[in-house]
Amino acid sequence: MVTENLAFILLPLALAFIMFSLGLGLTIADFKRVFVYPKAFVAGLTCQVILLPLVAFSLLQFADLSPSLSFGVMILSFCPGGVSSNIMTKLAGGAVALSISLTGVVSLLSVLTIPFFIGLFAVHFLGEGATDINVTGLGLALFVMTAAPAGCGVTLRHYYADVVERVEPLITKLAMGVFFVIVLFSIASNWVSLQESFLQLGPLLVGLNIFLFLMGIIVAWALGLPQKERTAIAIETGIQNSALGVTVATLIVPTVSGLPVISLPAAVYGVTFYFVAAPFILWARQQ
């Protein structure tokens, strides 16, 4: 019963807290910045929302994964960046303002894009099981768990900037801790499946991560964007909000105990992306 409550009650609350912490780091100016750097923003948006799922789908055609794990990888590819992408952009010396703007806007858009893509790809991977997915209900749930808490955070930042600036670093650290708890719980819930599929799942996620970082760099370079903006776009493209992926998987395939198998790719990714992000950050700092 404790495990069930954690999966269906505490997990959405944990995601809402993470998104609230994201909102506290945003200002109205972050959304206005979309019009200040339109080319860089459109490049990042295209990489994240359109190219990323297409790349994931293409790689899965050559992977030996079960339909559930394959769909879990696709769910991960639908997710925007998170707080960690902003932190890593700062560490890499990238355009932090652009990174924050992309994270904020794409996170809000995900209320629409995630249900749309799930409805588009679910039949291909899950077959008849896809008919049980309530896309409209998923969109409403995502709004409550992501857009609404993030909006509350932005509003508090706007009206109580002094107070928020003092507490925001602590809340961000707490949110990162919550993120790691979600990742560890999902892995523990699917430990047997992980042991059976890690040799296929691990390399696939690392390979996908490498490809996405390279794609972000190449697209931004082809558009003639400066190095800092190329770095930000690459990180936003290559880093997804795995906590959101785990939660979405739970909403789609609820279980009576623990978390569903389709949450496993997002959970494993919450660990493996550091093996790609760390070398990239070191390389970017040298540019």
Side-chain angles (χ1 to χ4, degrees):
M1 180 62 69
V2 174
T3 303
E4 182 180 353
N5 290 337
L6 183 60
F8 295 106
I9 299 177
L10 297 184
L11 185 58
L13 290 177
L15 176 62
F17 178 73
I18 291 173
M19 296 306 297
F20 174 71
S21 73
L22 173 65
L24 287 179
L26 297 172
T27 65
I28 303 300
D30 293 324
F31 296 95
K32 293 180 179 179
R33 198 176 292 113
V34 170
F35 304 101
V36 178
Y37 306 105
K39 185 164 69 170
F41 178 81
V42 171
L45 183 70
T46 301
C47 286
Q48 276 192 280
V49 178
I50 299 176
L51 297 182
L52 199 164
L54 291 177
V55 169
F57 181 79
S58 299
L59 288 180
L60 285 171
Q61 307 312 303
F62 304 97
D64 184 25
L65 292 181
S66 67
S68 294
L69 288 176
S70 295
F71 191 52
V73 174
M74 289 305 302
I75 291 174
L76 175 65
S77 74
F78 305 151
C79 295
V83 178
S84 56
S85 65
N86 304 149
I87 295 173
M88 291 188 178
T89 298
K90 182 176 181 179
L91 292 175
V96 179
L98 173 61
S99 173
I100 292 174
S101 298
L102 280 169
T103 297
V105 174
V106 178
S107 293
L108 294 180
L109 286 177
S110 67
V111 173
L112 300 175
T113 58
I114 290 179
F116 171 77
F117 282 126
I118 284 176
L120 191 64
F121 286 97
V123 174
H124 177 82
F125 290 101
L126 300 182
E128 294 182 357
T131 59
D132 297 329
I133 298 176
N134 185 345
V135 175
T136 302
L138 176 62
L140 291 174
L142 285 175
F143 175 81
V144 172
M145 292 185 295
T146 61
C152 289
V154 174
T155 302
L156 286 175
R157 176 73 177 240
H158 181 72
Y159 289 104
Y160 304 99
D162 293 340
V163 176
V164 170
E165 287 178 1
R166 290 198 298 268
V167 302
E168 191 261 338
L170 174 60
I171 293 178
T172 298
K173 292 178 182 178
L174 289 175
M176 293 299 292
V178 171
F179 160 75
F180 284 116
V181 170
I182 292 175
V183 168
L184 293 176
F185 180 72
S186 182
I187 291 175
S189 297
N190 296 281
W191 183 248
V192 175
S193 298
L194 176 62
Q195 290 177 308
E196 295 173 349
S197 60
F198 184 78
L199 291 179
Q200 293 80 32
L201 185 59
L204 173 69
L205 291 175
V206 171
L208 175 63
N209 225 181
I210 293 173
F211 194 97
L212 293 176
F213 272 97
L214 291 175
M215 181 180 71
I217 283 286
I218 292 172
V219 169
W221 172 80
L223 292 174
L225 297 175
Q227 175 64 33
K228 287 182 176 293
E229 293 181 5
R230 294 202 297 265
T231 298
I233 290 173
I235 292 176
E236 286 295 319
T237 303
I239 295 180
Q240 280 66 59
N241 187 341
S242 57
L244 176 57
V246 172
T247 307
V248 169
T250 305
L251 294 174
I252 294 174
V253 185
T255 61
V256 296
S257 177
L259 300 180
V261 173
I262 63 171
S263 71
L264 190 56
V268 174
Y269 172 83
V271 177
T272 60
F273 84 85
Y274 286 104
F275 295 101
V276 180
F280 178 83
I281 289 172
L282 293 175
W283 172 82
R285 288 178 65 89
Q286 297 174 356
Q287 303 308 303

